[in-house]
Amino acid sequence: MAEGDEQHVARYPDDVRADIRSWPTGRLLSVAARVVEGRFHAFLSARGLTHAGLIALHHVAQGCLPQRELATLCRVTDQTMSRTVEHLRRSGYVVKETDSRDRRRTLIEITAAGREVLDEARRQERDSDTLFGALDDYAAFREQLIALIAAI
């Protein structure tokens, strides 16, 4: 196909259904990942979030964190985390404060709006017909993905 598989799936679902069973498993996995990623990106974007921002919210939901520690947990550079936190702050999802015990450290804390959007994202991931709606058992699928990645 000249265009990407994920676009072809969206434009010509009947054509795809006709030959999808002949696709190699690697192609199935790759296309599924791109389709779901695109849908999830649209969901997040509509809420002023990015994938990186969602990961950061996941970590600060556990409690207030120094920005450098948050960067480490998210496996990004300090500069990347600085941009992510600033975007989250402008969206009202986190607040930044200077650590009163060490003025060189910046602490990041989730807001009520941040907790709300994180909870919504988690709910949509589990229950949405458009994100993973074709799954019969979300929990089992998640465990299979974990096993696949952990086996590498």
Side-chain angles (χ1 to χ4, degrees):
M1 289 178 211
E3 62 187 324
D5 283 334
E6 65 274 21
Q7 287 90 17
H8 192 81
V9 168
R11 288 190 184 136
Y12 309 104
D14 292 335
D15 291 350
V16 171
R17 285 186 197 100
D19 81 332
I20 196 167
R21 294 204 177 277
S22 70
W23 292 7
T25 302
R27 181 179 181 196
L28 290 169
L29 185 58
S30 177
V31 172
R34 289 193 308 268
V35 167
V36 170
E37 183 179 23
R39 290 174 182 172
F40 204 55
H41 174 76
F43 168 82
L44 293 174
S45 181
R47 286 148 185 85
L49 272 175
T50 62
H51 291 283
L54 185 65
I55 293 166
L57 286 178
H58 165 78
H59 288 295
V60 294
Q62 310 304 313
C64 187
L65 288 172
Q67 187 167 311
R68 177 163 282 158
E69 184 179 334
L70 181 58
T72 300
L73 289 169
C74 293
R75 295 184 179 97
V76 298
T77 65
D78 291 344
Q79 294 83 0
T80 297
M81 184 50 60
S82 181
R83 286 189 300 273
T84 299
V85 165
E86 184 55 27
H87 181 81
L88 290 170
R89 187 195 63 75
R90 284 193 315 267
S91 297
Y93 297 144
V94 300
V95 292
K96 291 171 40 171
E97 298 176 4
T98 301
D99 188 339
S100 61
R101 293 175 291 165
D102 183 348
R103 311 273 314 149
R104 296 170 294 177
R105 289 180 8 156
T106 301
L107 301 176
I108 310 303
E109 186 173 5
I110 195 168
T111 64
R115 194 168 300 283
E116 190 175 303
V117 77
L118 176 63
D119 289 346
E120 181 186 7
R122 288 174 173 165
R123 233 182 356 267
Q124 287 295 318
E125 185 179 277
R126 279 189 320 272
D127 302 334
S128 170
D129 288 342
T130 58
L131 292 178
F132 291 110
L135 297 177
D136 293 328
D137 188 343
Y138 172 81
F141 178 72
R142 184 174 162 75
E143 287 303 315
Q144 288 177 323
L145 288 174
I146 291 168
L148 176 68
I149 294 166
I152 295 173

